[in-house]
Amino acid sequence: PQTGSRWREDKICTVSSYIPGDGKEGPEARKPQKLVTTHVGTTADCRDFGPLARVEAERRGIRSAAEVIVLGDCGNWIDPIQEQYFGCHARIADYDHAVEHLWDAARAVLGADSPKVPALAKRLEGYLYGGRVDKVIKYLQAESAKLGPLTDSDGEHHPRQVLARVGLMPVPPYI
């Protein structure tokens, strides 16, 4: 409303049901089998999206599901919805967006123009790909501690703000 823009972001919830695989590798492994996928979407405000997503999950039987995972693209509006409507379920960032955030974090730690950024980002990405999220978190938390806490004067591109978006510092409340 402040800019007069008519642009709206699509918000999509996909609910998929699977028969689980056996978790084994190789030709004898039983892979997961997708059963049903449904979608609900809107261009309405994100505050309206949470209830729509929850209603679809309820319609599809979320309460009787053996396992529920909330997968999202790291948008700053997704976590509040997950906390309010799916708070007891695991939240996972999709891999591509998580990698984007790792590159942002590497720039924040070393400086955007540092020639060492690609090496650090690729090292962190390798840890993520290899399932060593603990190493990524430990490293970035240590770097965040060196920068100190967020302040009101930190601009959007300040390293503390970037690391806050990565999830390693408290982010100001969602409006």
Side-chain angles (χ1 to χ4, degrees):
Q2 293 86 357
T3 65
S5 173
R6 293 182 298 164
W7 179 83
R8 300 288 181 266
E9 180 179 63
D10 295 332
K11 295 153 198 76
I12 308 292
C13 171
T14 299
V15 180
S16 296
S17 301
Y18 286 82
I19 295 174
D22 59 14
K24 297 179 182 173
E25 299 289 328
E28 301 299 318
R30 189 182 78 240
K31 303 288 182 199
Q33 295 176 337
K34 189 188 294 188
L35 298 176
V36 177
T37 296
T38 57
H39 309 278
V40 62
T42 185
T43 57
D45 188 272
C46 57
R47 287 178 191 89
D48 298 331
F49 182 65
L52 291 174
R54 184 64 197 201
V55 166
E56 181 61 12
E58 290 287 344
R59 189 182 76 76
R60 291 291 311 285
I62 189 171
R63 293 176 192 231
S64 61
E67 184 176 8
V68 175
I69 298 169
V70 177
L71 177 70
D73 70 0
C74 303
N76 65 353
W77 58 272
I78 292 175
D79 285 340
I81 289 173
Q82 187 269 334
E83 289 168 13
Q84 183 173 359
Y85 296 99
F86 302 95
C88 63
H89 303 295
R91 161 82 158 83
I92 299 174
D94 73 274
Y95 183 79
D96 288 336
H97 283 90
V99 167
E100 282 182 31
H101 284 287
L102 290 180
W103 278 79
D104 290 342
R107 288 183 199 96
V109 167
L110 297 173
D113 298 327
S114 172
K116 296 179 181 179
V117 165
L120 174 58
K122 288 177 184 178
R123 187 173 91 223
L124 295 173
E125 186 177 343
Y127 291 149
L128 180 66
Y129 187 79
R132 297 302 314 266
V133 176
D134 58 322
K135 288 187 87 151
V136 173
I137 292 170
K138 185 177 179 180
Y139 174 79
L140 292 176
Q141 283 177 334
E143 293 300 321
S144 294
K146 292 177 188 175
L147 293 172
L150 283 170
T151 67
D152 291 339
S153 63
D154 291 344
E156 178 183 355
H157 301 291
H158 190 284
R160 286 189 290 256
Q161 283 288 354
V162 172
L163 291 174
R165 284 192 298 275
V166 174
L168 296 170
M169 293 181 159
V171 179
Y174 170 74
I175 298 175

